[in-house]
């Protein structure tokens, strides 16, 4: 059962599977496991309380953060062709955030001929509500059914389509899943597709490490604030007492694993109590809390990922000047 239906009007429904503060049922146990593991790890989904979503929006505008601009350019170039090819009745977007780039797809001139429903799905409560309110007046042919939940747990809550379905997973968020998690997730998403349905994925590509590292070490310090905000989120939801400013932001490209790693590094040993869990943990000055991986792909690693999930590549769109920065790929169930 949804915990609350904050809004229901003729064209808008929002179902929430997180509580008022934005806490998932599984959060406390997940954090306990992560902070007592070796190395200490926290899931990147905990970046995104309202403040974290706002910080991410600021990241998308930073001069160093190329993925959002590169993906938007691709969508602007190919949206028309893509939408005319698929002609979806329903668009489901996983990790939809502000849905700003999605407007490029919803806004193609042919959309009112076939598209009737948009389903933004995100763990961050405020941003789904806000995005839906902003979209409604601009797309009068659409009904919006938002789902606030974890795409690792709540995919089954997505409303059924009455025609063709296009699922979007944009922004490179697929790269925030570890390889095993990613295969399990894509396999589950494949189970939501019929033979005529499509999945559109945005993924960041392997390139010069300096370009990638600069995107996660911006000179304005917004990514550092985004990283530390996870501790503020935990303090609020789990009555913990992390001192966010006692942790430094570290992000580097691990070439062997083809991923950016983001860590929080304590300036000296930190002892933190987590009220809801009734535990105290020590973060030694020699260790870090690993908060995010952001995997970067090649065409080969993309192919492997799709095959492992029983999917195939139909179209590969990429920026080709001056570098292949980012890719938007149209995929379907393997024949
Ligand atoms: N698609 C948008 C936002 C990308 S940021 C864009 O391209 O700009 C990643 C988004 O995924 C955030 O809005 C975050 O809240 C959401 N997210 C991260 N982990 C999630 C999870 N496990 N379940 C649902 N949403 C998640
Ligand atoms: C949402 N995700 C694809 C972003 C990324 O680039 O991995 C999150 C992010 N982390 C730091 N900056 C942006």
């Amino acid at each position: 059962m949804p915990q609350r239906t904050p809004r229901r009007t003729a064209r808008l429904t929002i179902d929430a599977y997180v509580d008022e503060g934005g806490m998932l049922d599984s959060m406390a146990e997940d954090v306990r496991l992560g902070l007592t593991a070796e190395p200490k790890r926290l899931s990147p989904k905990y970046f995104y309380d309202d403040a974290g979503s706002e910080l991410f929006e600021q990241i998308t505008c930073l001069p160093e953060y190329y993925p959002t601009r590169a993906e938007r350019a691709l969508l602007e170039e190919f949206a028309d062709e893509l939408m005319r090819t698929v002609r979806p009745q329903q668009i489901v977007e996983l990790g939809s955030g502000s849905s700003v780039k999605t407007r490029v797809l919803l806004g193609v001139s042919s959309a009112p001929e076939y598209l009737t429903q948009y389903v933004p799905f995100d763990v961050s409560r405020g941003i789904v509500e806000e995005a839906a309110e902003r979209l409604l007046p601009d797309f009068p042919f659409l009904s919006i059914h938002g789902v606030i939940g974890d795409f690792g747990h709540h995919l089954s809550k997505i409303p059924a389509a009455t025609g063709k379905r296009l699922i979007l997973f944009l922004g490179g968020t697929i790269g925030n899943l570890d390889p095993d998690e990613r295969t399990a997730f894509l396999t589950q998403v494949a189970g939501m597709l019929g033979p005529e349905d499509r999945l559109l994925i945005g993924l960041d590509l392997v390139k010069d490490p300096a370009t990638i590292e600069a995107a996660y070490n911006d000179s304005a310090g917004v990514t550092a604030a985004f990283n530390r905000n996870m501790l503020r989120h935990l303090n609020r939801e789990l009555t913990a007492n992390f001192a966010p400013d006692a942790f430094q932001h570290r992000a580097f490209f691990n070439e062997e694993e083809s991923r950016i790693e983001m860590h929080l590094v304590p300036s000296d040993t930190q002892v933190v109590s987590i009220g809801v869990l009734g535990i105290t943990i020590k973060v030694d000055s020699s260790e870090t809390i690993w908060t995010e991986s952001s995997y970067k792909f090649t065409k080969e690693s993309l192919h492997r990922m799709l095959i492992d999930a029983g999917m195939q590549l139909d179209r590969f769109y990429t920026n080709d000047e001056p570098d292949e920065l980012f890719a938007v790929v149209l995929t379907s169930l393997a024949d």
Side-chain angles (χ1 to χ4, degrees), residues 224-299:
F226 174 74
N227 200 1
R228 287 192 196 98
N229 181 62
M230 188 183 292
L231 301 181
R232 296 202 164 85
H233 187 194
L234 263 49
N235 281 349
R236 195 182 59 245
E237 292 303 326
L238 303 178
T239 49
N241 66 351
F242 282 101
D245 293 336
F247 288 82
Q248 303 303 310
H249 166 70
R250 181 185 295 162
F252 61 91
F253 189 56
N254 178 334
E255 281 198 64
E256 212 164 295
E257 301 291 342
S258 216
R259 66 185 180 216
I260 278 282
E261 288 184 19
M262 285 210 328
H263 295 258
L264 286 164
V265 186
S267 27
D268 50 20
T269 298
Q270 298 290 306
V271 177
V272 182
S273 89
I274 304 181
V276 160
L277 292 170
I279 61 170
T280 298
I281 57 140
K282 189 166 99 172
V283 190
D284 198 82
S285 57
S286 62
E287 61 180 341
T288 73
I289 303 176
W290 186 358
T291 49
E292 185 177 62
S293 295
S294 189
Y295 283 82
K296 310 303 170 190
F297 296 85
T298 60
K299 217 167 177 183

Side-chain angles (χ1 to χ4, degrees), residues 68-88:
T68 309
R69 276 188 301 281
E71 185 177 51
R72 188 181 175 96
L74 290 171
L75 291 173
E76 282 171 351
E77 191 172 349
F78 299 112
D80 227 48
E81 168 196 322
L82 202 143
M83 290 290 278
R84 281 180 199 281
T85 310
V86 183
R87 295 181 69 83

Side-chain angles (χ1 to χ4, degrees), residues 105-125:
L105 295 167
L106 304 179
V108 301
S109 59
S110 60
E113 294 167 23
Y114 43 81
L115 186 65
T116 63
Q117 191 182 44
Y118 174 55
V119 181
F121 183 118
D122 203 288
V123 74
S124 193
R125 181 169 201 130

